[in-house]
Amino acid sequence: MNTILAKAEQTHQLTEAELVRLLTDPDATVPLYAAADRVRQKYVGDQVELRGLIEFSNICKQNCLYCGLRRDNRQIPRYRLDGETILEFGRRAAELGYKTLVMQSGEDEAFSPERLAPVLTELKKLGVALTLSIGEKSREEYAALRAAGADRYLLRIETTDKALYEKLDPGMSWDNRVRCLRDLKELGYEVGTGSLVGLPGQTVESMARDVLFFQELDADMVGIGPFIPNPDTPLASADGGTFDLACRMMALTRLLLPDANIPATTAMETLQPDGRMLALQRGANVVMPNVTDTDYRKMYMLYPGKICLNDAPADCRSCVTDKIMGIGRTVSQNQGFRRKHRSER
Ligand code: SAH
Ligand code: SF4
């Protein structure tokens, strides 16, 4: 196993069988995390990128079985921020020092590119990089949003098991999701993808293929989160993923995509106190604190147990900064675009 890890650390290549071994062998845990931490240090350094997350609508036309925002969930009140409120949250985040804003929502058709474009243009005047995470759109819509100022896009593939994806995301097509990712790349976005870990019916082999998929796509960002069963969904009684397995997936992603931006995800911290700080020591280099007002946070319930529900944006920023400094790292002061190490890949 140490041979496999040494190879991964030097060549950034692993086979599916080797990935499965590292996902399952109990003896792999400690050396895998240490290798991912070294690769993170070598390629992206000790600075942690902070991205301010604005959850601007919890209205969704999709019905993903795992997600609390699914359209059939009648248990949550729905909201949609107007442009001025989004701008206000953006301004406050910029004042707090954020250099990147991530705008996330359900697939809310009211936010057409025509409606979003002026908001993006105004937000760009704050001198921030802009990331969108608003689901599947046509190539033309992605092009219009890019022209309006969006720099990056997050769209998790969720799982590379096509049959499982289409079972869990009824009415959606896995091929279309891949089409979206390819269009986004071609349009010049920095593209983030990622997967859920611990979905019912997900195999460890398919998780290994998830990591190979991120590498094949040459993803600029990869967010891995444990699946956390939501009581308001059809998967309420499923088992869910573990913190450890999510960390292994993340560490392997660092080994295969050494210069990618990899967040320590909020869902990880839901399962493990200080989980994001542990993740930062196992391959991650990004944290995405919430900059949405507390009134709305409670309604943006993808999964139960969401952290920091009652904290104001300024509190989240200082809390996360203190924790980052507490593990001997620093907060980046720039926009945190991916710095590709072409010669070493
Ligand atoms: N609608 C957009 C963005 C919002 S959902 C989209 O689907 O791309 C953002 C992410 O939340 C999803 O990609 C999914 O991976 C995650 N998510 C949804 N339900 C979850 C759950 N029960 N546990 C953990 N993560 C979940
Ligand atoms: Fe909607 Fe995204 Fe949740 Fe699916 S994962 S129901 S698309 S918010």
Side-chain angles (χ1 to χ4, degrees), residues 119-316:
V119 182
L120 303 186
T121 309
E122 282 305 307
L123 285 171
K124 282 301 284 183
K125 292 182 187 162
L126 299 168
V128 293
L130 270 189
T131 307
L132 293 178
S133 176
I134 60 177
E136 297 184 14
K137 307 268 171 212
S138 68
R139 186 183 176 100
E140 293 67 35
E141 289 173 310
Y142 286 144
L145 294 165
R146 174 100 182 98
D151 302 289
R152 308 184 182 130
Y153 207 101
L154 305 179
L155 187 77
R156 288 183 177 173
I157 191 69
E158 314 293 3
T159 170
T160 50
D161 179 338
K162 179 174 170 169
L164 180 64
Y165 177 88
E166 292 181 355
K167 189 169 143 198
L168 297 179
D169 296 32
M172 297 174 82
S173 133
W174 189 84
D175 290 333
N176 190 51
R177 205 142 179 105
V178 176
R179 189 275 305 159
C180 289
L181 290 167
R182 302 221 183 279
D183 277 350
L184 290 162
K185 271 249 153 189
E186 285 169 21
L187 290 165
Y189 282 90
E190 274 205 344
V191 174
T193 188
S195 56
L196 284 167
V197 171
L199 291 166
Q202 190 179 31
T203 64
V204 74
E205 288 76 17
S206 88
M207 287 185 227
R209 288 192 291 273
D210 292 353
V211 183
L212 294 172
F213 174 86
F214 308 149
Q215 188 180 41
E216 192 262 324
L217 182 73
D218 191 25
D220 301 299
M221 306 164 279
V222 181
I224 310 275
F227 158 58
I228 304 175
N230 186 321
D232 295 339
T233 66
L235 299 184
S237 55
D239 283 339
T242 64
F243 178 69
D244 180 62
L245 196 53
C247 283
R248 283 188 196 224
M249 283 287 286
M250 185 191 67
L252 290 169
T253 302
R254 171 60 69 202
L255 295 182
L256 265 52
L257 277 167
D259 56 16
N261 282 319
I262 300 182
T265 57
T266 311
M268 287 182 171
E269 186 134 347
T270 297
L271 294 188
Q272 167 82 36
D274 271 329
R276 289 175 302 176
M277 295 306 123
L278 286 171
L280 286 176
Q281 297 170 88
R282 298 172 175 183
N285 71 315
V286 176
V287 180
M288 294 166 60
N290 206 317
V291 298
T292 323
D293 260 9
T294 47
D295 297 352
Y296 302 106
R297 288 185 194 197
K298 295 180 179 59
M299 294 186 265
Y300 200 87
M301 271 296 169
L302 303 166
Y303 51 80
K306 186 178 180 183
I307 60 166
C308 311
L309 273 186
N310 295 310
D311 296 336
D315 300 333
C316 283

